[in-house]
Amino acid sequence: MYIGEVAKKTGLSIKAIRLYEDRGLIRPPPRKGRYRVYSEAQVDVLNLIKEAKLLGTPLSQIKGAIVYNRHGE
């Protein structure tokens, strides 16, 4: 799914999603032409990040807690 749909599903802004990608909290999604294509697994991670932020967890701690499998999910 494209970033606009991810933003709607997670309640995060497109700017926040890109920030989390730039800071390494989520892996950069593959591209289809010019567009990033996000997986459901990435949406799940973004929802976890959102919840952790609501609890006051700093991004640096969130980043250390996220573990990906060998397929990048």
Side-chain angles (χ1 to χ4, degrees), residues 14-30:
I14 291 172
K15 185 177 178 178
I17 295 167
R18 289 185 178 141
L19 172 72
Y20 298 154
E21 186 180 325
D22 289 342
R23 295 228 178 142
L25 278 86
I26 63 168
R27 294 206 174 162

Side-chain angles (χ1 to χ4, degrees), residues 1-70:
M1 74 193 78
Y2 297 130
I3 197 166
E5 187 176 348
V6 173
K8 286 179 187 173
K9 279 188 155 189
T10 61
L12 294 167
S13 67
I14 291 172
K15 185 177 178 178
I17 295 167
R18 289 185 178 141
L19 172 72
Y20 298 154
E21 186 180 325
D22 289 342
R23 295 228 178 142
L25 278 86
I26 63 168
R27 294 206 174 162
R31 291 186 175 263
K32 185 176 184 180
R34 300 179 9 192
Y35 302 100
R36 297 171 171 104
V37 181
Y38 293 83
S39 68
E40 283 296 328
Q42 288 171 308
V43 171
D44 291 342
V45 172
L46 287 166
N47 280 321
L48 286 171
I49 293 167
K50 179 181 171 182
E51 292 298 318
K53 288 291 294 167
L54 288 172
L55 294 171
T57 308
L59 290 179
S60 60
Q61 286 183 348
I62 296 169
K63 183 178 179 181
I66 297 172
V67 178
Y68 290 94
N69 67 25
R70 63 186 173 152

